[in-house]
PDB file of all heavy atoms in Angstrom:
ATOM      1  N   ALA A   1      -5.886 244.659 153.199  1.00  0.00           N
ATOM      2  CA  ALA A   1      -5.424 244.026 154.457  1.00  0.00           C
ATOM      3  C   ALA A   1      -3.931 243.702 154.375  1.00  0.00           C
ATOM      4  O   ALA A   1      -3.196 243.909 155.358  1.00  0.00           O
ATOM      5  CB  ALA A   1      -6.246 242.746 154.690  1.00  0.00           C
ATOM      6  N   ALA A   2      -3.488 243.202 153.197  1.00  0.00           N
ATOM      7  CA  ALA A   2      -2.065 242.907 153.050  1.00  0.00           C
ATOM      8  C   ALA A   2      -1.235 244.165 153.142  1.00  0.00           C
ATOM      9  O   ALA A   2      -0.143 244.176 153.748  1.00  0.00           O
ATOM     10  CB  ALA A   2      -1.831 242.199 151.715  1.00  0.00           C
ATOM     11  N   ALA A   3      -1.754 245.257 152.522  1.00  0.00           N
ATOM     12  CA  ALA A   3      -1.025 246.525 152.577  1.00  0.00           C
ATOM     13  C   ALA A   3      -0.946 247.045 153.998  1.00  0.00           C
ATOM     14  O   ALA A   3       0.110 247.544 154.435  1.00  0.00           O
ATOM     15  CB  ALA A   3      -1.704 247.553 151.670  1.00  0.00           C
ATOM     16  N   ARG A   4      -2.055 246.907 154.732  1.00  0.00           N
ATOM     17  CA  ARG A   4      -2.011 247.342 156.140  1.00  0.00           C
ATOM     18  C   ARG A   4      -1.015 246.511 156.935  1.00  0.00           C
ATOM     19  O   ARG A   4      -0.260 247.044 157.766  1.00  0.00           O
ATOM     20  CB  ARG A   4      -3.409 247.230 156.748  1.00  0.00           C
ATOM     21  CG  ARG A   4      -4.377 248.319 156.289  1.00  0.00           C
ATOM     22  CD  ARG A   4      -5.607 248.368 157.182  1.00  0.00           C
ATOM     23  NE  ARG A   4      -6.347 247.121 157.123  1.00  0.00           N
ATOM     24  CZ  ARG A   4      -7.331 246.895 156.236  1.00  0.00           C
ATOM     25  NH1 ARG A   4      -7.645 247.820 155.339  1.00  0.00           N
ATOM     26  NH2 ARG A   4      -7.974 245.749 156.233  1.00  0.00           N
ATOM     27  N   ALA A   5      -1.029 245.191 156.642  1.00  0.00           N
ATOM     28  CA  ALA A   5      -0.079 244.331 157.368  1.00  0.00           C
ATOM     29  C   ALA A   5       1.350 244.703 157.025  1.00  0.00           C
ATOM     30  O   ALA A   5       2.228 244.766 157.916  1.00  0.00           O
ATOM     31  CB  ALA A   5      -0.351 242.856 157.015  1.00  0.00           C
ATOM     32  N   MET A   6       1.618 244.965 155.746  1.00  0.00           N
ATOM     33  CA  MET A   6       2.964 245.349 155.338  1.00  0.00           C
ATOM     34  C   MET A   6       3.355 246.683 155.929  1.00  0.00           C
ATOM     35  O   MET A   6       4.513 246.895 156.365  1.00  0.00           O
ATOM     36  CB  MET A   6       3.055 245.405 153.812  1.00  0.00           C
ATOM     37  CG  MET A   6       2.917 244.049 153.126  1.00  0.00           C
ATOM     38  SD  MET A   6       2.848 244.179 151.328  1.00  0.00           S
ATOM     39  CE  MET A   6       4.468 244.868 150.996  1.00  0.00           C
ATOM     40  N   THR A   7       2.383 247.619 155.981  1.00  0.00           N
ATOM     41  CA  THR A   7       2.671 248.925 156.564  1.00  0.00           C
ATOM     42  C   THR A   7       3.001 248.795 158.044  1.00  0.00           C
ATOM     43  O   THR A   7       3.935 249.450 158.561  1.00  0.00           O
ATOM     44  CB  THR A   7       1.455 249.854 156.373  1.00  0.00           C
ATOM     45  OG1 THR A   7       1.181 249.982 154.975  1.00  0.00           O
ATOM     46  CG2 THR A   7       1.715 251.229 156.970  1.00  0.00           C
ATOM     47  N   GLU A   8       2.215 247.952 158.689  1.00  0.00           N
ATOM     48  CA  GLU A   8       2.492 247.738 160.117  1.00  0.00           C
ATOM     49  C   GLU A   8       3.857 247.094 160.310  1.00  0.00           C
ATOM     50  O   GLU A   8       4.632 247.499 161.200  1.00  0.00           O
ATOM     51  CB  GLU A   8       1.391 246.846 160.716  1.00  0.00           C
ATOM     52  CG  GLU A   8       0.031 247.542 160.792  1.00  0.00           C
ATOM     53  CD  GLU A   8      -1.057 246.589 161.288  1.00  0.00           C
ATOM     54  OE1 GLU A   8      -0.715 245.418 161.534  1.00  0.00           O
ATOM     55  OE2 GLU A   8      -2.203 247.032 161.395  1.00  0.00           O
ATOM     56  N   ASP A   9       4.178 246.108 159.457  1.00  0.00           N
ATOM     57  CA  ASP A   9       5.497 245.475 159.562  1.00  0.00           C
ATOM     58  C   ASP A   9       6.607 246.492 159.302  1.00  0.00           C
ATOM     59  O   ASP A   9       7.646 246.490 160.007  1.00  0.00           O
ATOM     60  CB  ASP A   9       5.593 244.327 158.551  1.00  0.00           C
ATOM     61  CG  ASP A   9       4.680 243.169 158.917  1.00  0.00           C
ATOM     62  OD1 ASP A   9       4.227 243.129 160.075  1.00  0.00           O
ATOM     63  OD2 ASP A   9       4.399 242.314 158.035  1.00  0.00           O
ATOM     64  N   LEU A  10       6.377 247.321 158.256  1.00  0.00           N
ATOM     65  CA  LEU A  10       7.385 248.322 157.943  1.00  0.00           C
ATOM     66  C   LEU A  10       7.547 249.321 159.077  1.00  0.00           C
ATOM     67  O   LEU A  10       8.673 249.734 159.435  1.00  0.00           O
ATOM     68  CB  LEU A  10       7.009 249.035 156.643  1.00  0.00           C
ATOM     69  CG  LEU A  10       7.990 250.074 156.127  1.00  0.00           C
ATOM     70  CD1 LEU A  10       9.359 249.439 155.880  1.00  0.00           C
ATOM     71  CD2 LEU A  10       7.477 250.755 154.856  1.00  0.00           C
ATOM     72  N   SER A  11       6.417 249.710 159.648  1.00  0.00           N
ATOM     73  CA  SER A  11       6.483 250.670 160.774  1.00  0.00           C
ATOM     74  C   SER A  11       7.235 250.054 161.934  1.00  0.00           C
ATOM     75  O   SER A  11       8.068 250.728 162.584  1.00  0.00           O
ATOM     76  CB  SER A  11       5.063 251.058 161.199  1.00  0.00           C
ATOM     77  OG  SER A  11       4.391 251.710 160.149  1.00  0.00           O
ATOM     78  N   MET A  12       6.922 248.793 162.212  1.00  0.00           N
ATOM     79  CA  MET A  12       7.637 248.128 163.289  1.00  0.00           C
ATOM     80  C   MET A  12       9.120 248.020 162.982  1.00  0.00           C
ATOM     81  O   MET A  12       9.988 248.233 163.857  1.00  0.00           O
ATOM     82  CB  MET A  12       7.045 246.729 163.526  1.00  0.00           C
ATOM     83  CG  MET A  12       5.621 246.749 164.089  1.00  0.00           C
ATOM     84  SD  MET A  12       4.959 245.089 164.280  1.00  0.00           S
ATOM     85  CE  MET A  12       6.082 244.437 165.499  1.00  0.00           C
ATOM     86  N   GLU A  13       9.425 247.731 161.707  1.00  0.00           N
ATOM     87  CA  GLU A  13      10.816 247.599 161.304  1.00  0.00           C
ATOM     88  C   GLU A  13      11.546 248.941 161.460  1.00  0.00           C
ATOM     89  O   GLU A  13      12.689 249.002 161.930  1.00  0.00           O
ATOM     90  CB  GLU A  13      10.864 247.114 159.863  1.00  0.00           C
ATOM     91  CG  GLU A  13      12.188 246.498 159.429  1.00  0.00           C
ATOM     92  CD  GLU A  13      12.517 245.233 160.182  1.00  0.00           C
ATOM     93  OE1 GLU A  13      11.589 244.488 160.555  1.00  0.00           O
ATOM     94  OE2 GLU A  13      13.700 244.998 160.413  1.00  0.00           O
ATOM     95  N   ARG A  14      10.850 250.007 161.032  1.00  0.00           N
ATOM     96  CA  ARG A  14      11.463 251.332 161.154  1.00  0.00           C
ATOM     97  C   ARG A  14      11.629 251.711 162.624  1.00  0.00           C
ATOM     98  O   ARG A  14      12.622 252.344 162.991  1.00  0.00           O
ATOM     99  CB  ARG A  14      10.603 252.370 160.430  1.00  0.00           C
ATOM    100  CG  ARG A  14      10.615 252.218 158.893  1.00  0.00           C
ATOM    101  CD  ARG A  14       9.747 253.283 158.258  1.00  0.00           C
ATOM    102  NE  ARG A  14      10.306 254.618 158.451  1.00  0.00           N
ATOM    103  CZ  ARG A  14      11.181 255.187 157.621  1.00  0.00           C
ATOM    104  NH1 ARG A  14      11.597 254.538 156.544  1.00  0.00           N
ATOM    105  NH2 ARG A  14      11.650 256.397 157.867  1.00  0.00           N
ATOM    106  N   SER A  15      10.628 251.309 163.392  1.00  0.00           N
ATOM    107  CA  SER A  15      10.761 251.623 164.830  1.00  0.00           C
ATOM    108  C   SER A  15      11.954 250.891 165.439  1.00  0.00           C
ATOM    109  O   SER A  15      12.735 251.472 166.216  1.00  0.00           O
ATOM    110  CB  SER A  15       9.462 251.207 165.562  1.00  0.00           C
ATOM    111  OG  SER A  15       8.378 251.962 165.096  1.00  0.00           O
ATOM    112  N   ARG A  16      12.081 249.597 165.050  1.00  0.00           N
ATOM    113  CA  ARG A  16      13.240 248.856 165.561  1.00  0.00           C
ATOM    114  C   ARG A  16      14.561 249.472 165.080  1.00  0.00           C
ATOM    115  O   ARG A  16      15.532 249.601 165.843  1.00  0.00           O
ATOM    116  CB  ARG A  16      13.147 247.384 165.135  1.00  0.00           C
ATOM    117  CG  ARG A  16      12.089 246.592 165.914  1.00  0.00           C
ATOM    118  CD  ARG A  16      12.308 245.093 165.745  1.00  0.00           C
ATOM    119  NE  ARG A  16      12.120 244.672 164.344  1.00  0.00           N
ATOM    120  CZ  ARG A  16      10.966 244.273 163.850  1.00  0.00           C
ATOM    121  NH1 ARG A  16       9.880 244.254 164.626  1.00  0.00           N
ATOM    122  NH2 ARG A  16      10.869 243.909 162.588  1.00  0.00           N
ATOM    123  N   LEU A  17      14.566 249.838 163.784  1.00  0.00           N
ATOM    124  CA  LEU A  17      15.775 250.456 163.239  1.00  0.00           C
ATOM    125  C   LEU A  17      16.101 251.764 163.934  1.00  0.00           C
ATOM    126  O   LEU A  17      17.276 252.068 164.265  1.00  0.00           O
ATOM    127  CB  LEU A  17      15.594 250.665 161.727  1.00  0.00           C
ATOM    128  CG  LEU A  17      16.781 251.293 160.999  1.00  0.00           C
ATOM    129  CD1 LEU A  17      18.033 250.420 161.167  1.00  0.00           C
ATOM    130  CD2 LEU A  17      16.465 251.503 159.527  1.00  0.00           C
ATOM    131  N   SER A  18      15.060 252.561 164.174  1.00  0.00           N
ATOM    132  CA  SER A  18      15.276 253.840 164.873  1.00  0.00           C
ATOM    133  C   SER A  18      15.818 253.600 166.271  1.00  0.00           C
ATOM    134  O   SER A  18      16.736 254.329 166.752  1.00  0.00           O
ATOM    135  CB  SER A  18      13.969 254.629 164.957  1.00  0.00           C
ATOM    136  OG  SER A  18      13.510 254.960 163.665  1.00  0.00           O
ATOM    137  N   ALA A  19      15.243 252.564 166.943  1.00  0.00           N
ATOM    138  CA  ALA A  19      15.727 252.261 168.288  1.00  0.00           C
ATOM    139  C   ALA A  19      17.193 251.828 168.262  1.00  0.00           C
ATOM    140  O   ALA A  19      18.016 252.219 169.126  1.00  0.00           O
ATOM    141  CB  ALA A  19      14.862 251.184 168.906  1.00  0.00           C
ATOM    142  N   ILE A  20      17.552 251.040 167.251  1.00  0.00           N
ATOM    143  CA  ILE A  20      18.942 250.581 167.135  1.00  0.00           C
ATOM    144  C   ILE A  20      19.864 251.759 166.885  1.00  0.00           C
ATOM    145  O   ILE A  20      20.935 251.902 167.498  1.00  0.00           O
ATOM    146  CB  ILE A  20      19.062 249.538 166.008  1.00  0.00           C
ATOM    147  CG1 ILE A  20      18.311 248.254 166.413  1.00  0.00           C
ATOM    148  CG2 ILE A  20      20.519 249.235 165.696  1.00  0.00           C
ATOM    149  CD1 ILE A  20      18.207 247.242 165.306  1.00  0.00           C
ATOM    150  N   LEU A  21      19.453 252.637 165.957  1.00  0.00           N
ATOM    151  CA  LEU A  21      20.289 253.783 165.628  1.00  0.00           C
ATOM    152  C   LEU A  21      20.443 254.703 166.829  1.00  0.00           C
ATOM    153  O   LEU A  21      21.544 255.241 167.092  1.00  0.00           O
ATOM    154  CB  LEU A  21      19.660 254.561 164.458  1.00  0.00           C
ATOM    155  CG  LEU A  21      19.643 253.820 163.107  1.00  0.00           C
ATOM    156  CD1 LEU A  21      18.926 254.653 162.073  1.00  0.00           C
ATOM    157  CD2 LEU A  21      21.074 253.520 162.650  1.00  0.00           C
ATOM    158  N   GLU A  22      19.316 254.861 167.534  1.00  0.00           N
ATOM    159  CA  GLU A  22      19.382 255.734 168.707  1.00  0.00           C
ATOM    160  C   GLU A  22      20.271 255.140 169.790  1.00  0.00           C
ATOM    161  O   GLU A  22      21.042 255.832 170.463  1.00  0.00           O
ATOM    162  CB  GLU A  22      17.970 255.981 169.239  1.00  0.00           C
ATOM    163  CG  GLU A  22      17.946 256.989 170.375  1.00  0.00           C
ATOM    164  CD  GLU A  22      16.529 257.284 170.852  1.00  0.00           C
ATOM    165  OE1 GLU A  22      15.557 256.816 170.187  1.00  0.00           O
ATOM    166  OE2 GLU A  22      16.390 257.966 171.859  1.00  0.00           O
ATOM    167  N   GLY A  23      20.174 253.818 169.918  1.00  0.00           N
ATOM    168  CA  GLY A  23      20.971 253.166 170.971  1.00  0.00           C
ATOM    169  C   GLY A  23      22.452 253.129 170.627  1.00  0.00           C
ATOM    170  O   GLY A  23      23.313 253.185 171.511  1.00  0.00           O
ATOM    171  N   THR A  24      22.775 253.043 169.356  1.00  0.00           N
ATOM    172  CA  THR A  24      24.189 252.972 168.953  1.00  0.00           C
ATOM    173  C   THR A  24      24.757 254.337 168.600  1.00  0.00           C
ATOM    174  O   THR A  24      25.926 254.432 168.215  1.00  0.00           O
ATOM    175  CB  THR A  24      24.319 252.034 167.741  1.00  0.00           C
ATOM    176  OG1 THR A  24      23.471 252.510 166.705  1.00  0.00           O
ATOM    177  CG2 THR A  24      23.929 250.622 168.100  1.00  0.00           C
ATOM    178  N   ARG A  25      23.952 255.382 168.677  1.00  0.00           N
ATOM    179  CA  ARG A  25      24.353 256.752 168.382  1.00  0.00           C
ATOM    180  C   ARG A  25      25.015 256.834 167.015  1.00  0.00           C
ATOM    181  O   ARG A  25      26.128 257.338 166.830  1.00  0.00           O
ATOM    182  CB  ARG A  25      25.301 257.275 169.454  1.00  0.00           C
ATOM    183  CG  ARG A  25      24.668 257.256 170.868  1.00  0.00           C
ATOM    184  CD  ARG A  25      25.613 257.819 171.904  1.00  0.00           C
ATOM    185  NE  ARG A  25      25.852 259.245 171.708  1.00  0.00           N
ATOM    186  CZ  ARG A  25      25.035 260.216 172.086  1.00  0.00           C
ATOM    187  NH1 ARG A  25      23.877 259.933 172.707  1.00  0.00           N
ATOM    188  NH2 ARG A  25      25.313 261.501 171.865  1.00  0.00           N
ATOM    189  N   VAL A  26      24.282 256.311 165.993  1.00  0.00           N
ATOM    190  CA  VAL A  26      24.739 256.319 164.618  1.00  0.00           C
ATOM    191  C   VAL A  26      24.100 257.494 163.899  1.00  0.00           C
ATOM    192  O   VAL A  26      22.893 257.736 164.021  1.00  0.00           O
ATOM    193  CB  VAL A  26      24.393 255.000 163.909  1.00  0.00           C
ATOM    194  CG1 VAL A  26      24.749 255.086 162.440  1.00  0.00           C
ATOM    195  CG2 VAL A  26      25.131 253.865 164.573  1.00  0.00           C
ATOM    196  N   GLY A  27      24.906 258.207 163.142  1.00  0.00           N
ATOM    197  CA  GLY A  27      24.376 259.286 162.317  1.00  0.00           C
ATOM    198  C   GLY A  27      23.995 258.748 160.935  1.00  0.00           C
ATOM    199  O   GLY A  27      24.755 257.988 160.335  1.00  0.00           O
ATOM    200  N   THR A  28      22.862 259.138 160.441  1.00  0.00           N
ATOM    201  CA  THR A  28      22.396 258.656 159.124  1.00  0.00           C
ATOM    202  C   THR A  28      21.979 259.808 158.230  1.00  0.00           C
ATOM    203  O   THR A  28      21.591 260.892 158.716  1.00  0.00           O
ATOM    204  CB  THR A  28      21.181 257.707 159.299  1.00  0.00           C
ATOM    205  OG1 THR A  28      20.091 258.454 159.845  1.00  0.00           O
ATOM    206  CG2 THR A  28      21.527 256.548 160.221  1.00  0.00           C
ATOM    207  N   TRP A  29      22.118 259.537 156.934  1.00  0.00           N
ATOM    208  CA  TRP A  29      21.560 260.473 155.955  1.00  0.00           C
ATOM    209  C   TRP A  29      20.991 259.672 154.788  1.00  0.00           C
ATOM    210  O   TRP A  29      21.454 258.578 154.494  1.00  0.00           O
ATOM    211  CB  TRP A  29      22.614 261.460 155.491  1.00  0.00           C
ATOM    212  CG  TRP A  29      23.784 260.808 154.755  1.00  0.00           C
ATOM    213  CD1 TRP A  29      24.875 260.225 155.298  1.00  0.00           C
ATOM    214  CD2 TRP A  29      23.928 260.708 153.345  1.00  0.00           C
ATOM    215  NE1 TRP A  29      25.703 259.730 154.372  1.00  0.00           N
ATOM    216  CE2 TRP A  29      25.142 260.028 153.116  1.00  0.00           C
ATOM    217  CE3 TRP A  29      23.160 261.113 152.239  1.00  0.00           C
ATOM    218  CZ2 TRP A  29      25.624 259.753 151.852  1.00  0.00           C
ATOM    219  CZ3 TRP A  29      23.648 260.839 150.989  1.00  0.00           C
ATOM    220  CH2 TRP A  29      24.882 260.156 150.780  1.00  0.00           C
ATOM    221  N   GLU A  30      19.950 260.219 154.186  1.00  0.00           N
ATOM    222  CA  GLU A  30      19.279 259.551 153.076  1.00  0.00           C
ATOM    223  C   GLU A  30      19.145 260.530 151.907  1.00  0.00           C
ATOM    224  O   GLU A  30      18.852 261.708 152.113  1.00  0.00           O
ATOM    225  CB  GLU A  30      17.869 259.078 153.506  1.00  0.00           C
ATOM    226  CG  GLU A  30      17.862 258.163 154.714  1.00  0.00           C
ATOM    227  CD  GLU A  30      16.444 257.889 155.204  1.00  0.00           C
ATOM    228  OE1 GLU A  30      15.534 257.757 154.339  1.00  0.00           O
ATOM    229  OE2 GLU A  30      16.222 257.828 156.413  1.00  0.00           O
ATOM    230  N   TRP A  31      19.373 259.975 150.733  1.00  0.00           N
ATOM    231  CA  TRP A  31      19.281 260.813 149.516  1.00  0.00           C
ATOM    232  C   TRP A  31      18.469 260.075 148.475  1.00  0.00           C
ATOM    233  O   TRP A  31      18.827 258.978 148.046  1.00  0.00           O
ATOM    234  CB  TRP A  31      20.698 261.121 148.998  1.00  0.00           C
ATOM    235  CG  TRP A  31      20.691 261.899 147.677  1.00  0.00           C
ATOM    236  CD1 TRP A  31      19.813 262.828 147.287  1.00  0.00           C
ATOM    237  CD2 TRP A  31      21.623 261.744 146.609  1.00  0.00           C
ATOM    238  NE1 TRP A  31      20.095 263.316 146.052  1.00  0.00           N
ATOM    239  CE2 TRP A  31      21.247 262.666 145.596  1.00  0.00           C
ATOM    240  CE3 TRP A  31      22.771 260.955 146.418  1.00  0.00           C
ATOM    241  CZ2 TRP A  31      21.963 262.811 144.416  1.00  0.00           C
ATOM    242  CZ3 TRP A  31      23.470 261.113 145.233  1.00  0.00           C
ATOM    243  CH2 TRP A  31      23.065 262.023 144.235  1.00  0.00           C
ATOM    244  N   ASN A  32      17.303 260.658 148.101  1.00  0.00           N
ATOM    245  CA  ASN A  32      16.463 260.120 147.012  1.00  0.00           C
ATOM    246  C   ASN A  32      16.989 260.653 145.700  1.00  0.00           C
ATOM    247  O   ASN A  32      16.849 261.832 145.395  1.00  0.00           O
ATOM    248  CB  ASN A  32      14.993 260.527 147.200  1.00  0.00           C
ATOM    249  CG  ASN A  32      14.055 259.825 146.233  1.00  0.00           C
ATOM    250  OD1 ASN A  32      14.401 259.606 145.083  1.00  0.00           O
ATOM    251  ND2 ASN A  32      12.873 259.477 146.714  1.00  0.00           N
ATOM    252  N   VAL A  33      17.667 259.770 144.963  1.00  0.00           N
ATOM    253  CA  VAL A  33      18.347 260.209 143.752  1.00  0.00           C
ATOM    254  C   VAL A  33      17.354 260.801 142.737  1.00  0.00           C
ATOM    255  O   VAL A  33      17.670 261.737 142.008  1.00  0.00           O
ATOM    256  CB  VAL A  33      19.104 259.013 143.120  1.00  0.00           C
ATOM    257  CG1 VAL A  33      19.779 259.437 141.820  1.00  0.00           C
ATOM    258  CG2 VAL A  33      20.142 258.479 144.088  1.00  0.00           C
ATOM    259  N   GLN A  34      16.092 260.230 142.691  1.00  0.00           N
ATOM    260  CA  GLN A  34      15.122 260.695 141.691  1.00  0.00           C
ATOM    261  C   GLN A  34      14.534 262.050 142.063  1.00  0.00           C
ATOM    262  O   GLN A  34      14.389 262.923 141.194  1.00  0.00           O
ATOM    263  CB  GLN A  34      14.006 259.671 141.550  1.00  0.00           C
ATOM    264  CG  GLN A  34      14.485 258.366 140.912  1.00  0.00           C
ATOM    265  CD  GLN A  34      13.375 257.338 140.838  1.00  0.00           C
ATOM    266  OE1 GLN A  34      12.583 257.214 141.743  1.00  0.00           O
ATOM    267  NE2 GLN A  34      13.349 256.596 139.734  1.00  0.00           N
ATOM    268  N   SER A  35      14.153 262.208 143.338  1.00  0.00           N
ATOM    269  CA  SER A  35      13.485 263.466 143.725  1.00  0.00           C
ATOM    270  C   SER A  35      14.463 264.510 144.261  1.00  0.00           C
ATOM    271  O   SER A  35      14.123 265.692 144.349  1.00  0.00           O
ATOM    272  CB  SER A  35      12.420 263.178 144.783  1.00  0.00           C
ATOM    273  OG  SER A  35      13.038 262.714 145.993  1.00  0.00           O
ATOM    274  N   GLY A  36      15.642 264.062 144.634  1.00  0.00           N
ATOM    275  CA  GLY A  36      16.609 265.001 145.194  1.00  0.00           C
ATOM    276  C   GLY A  36      16.416 265.253 146.667  1.00  0.00           C
ATOM    277  O   GLY A  36      17.181 266.006 147.285  1.00  0.00           O
ATOM    278  N   GLU A  37      15.384 264.650 147.279  1.00  0.00           N
ATOM    279  CA  GLU A  37      15.113 264.885 148.703  1.00  0.00           C
ATOM    280  C   GLU A  37      16.238 264.267 149.551  1.00  0.00           C
ATOM    281  O   GLU A  37      16.665 263.148 149.303  1.00  0.00           O
ATOM    282  CB  GLU A  37      13.762 264.263 149.066  1.00  0.00           C
ATOM    283  CG  GLU A  37      13.383 264.477 150.520  1.00  0.00           C
ATOM    284  CD  GLU A  37      12.067 263.790 150.879  1.00  0.00           C
ATOM    285  OE1 GLU A  37      11.501 263.086 150.003  1.00  0.00           O
ATOM    286  OE2 GLU A  37      11.608 263.937 152.026  1.00  0.00           O
TER     287      GLU A  37
END
């Protein structure tokens, strides 16, 4: 239940972040140093 709650919070957070990025027209990039992705 806690994991589901955290996942939901994270999803909401990502959604808010995506909305902010989309609204501010910010370009982003992510690099996973361990996997190289």
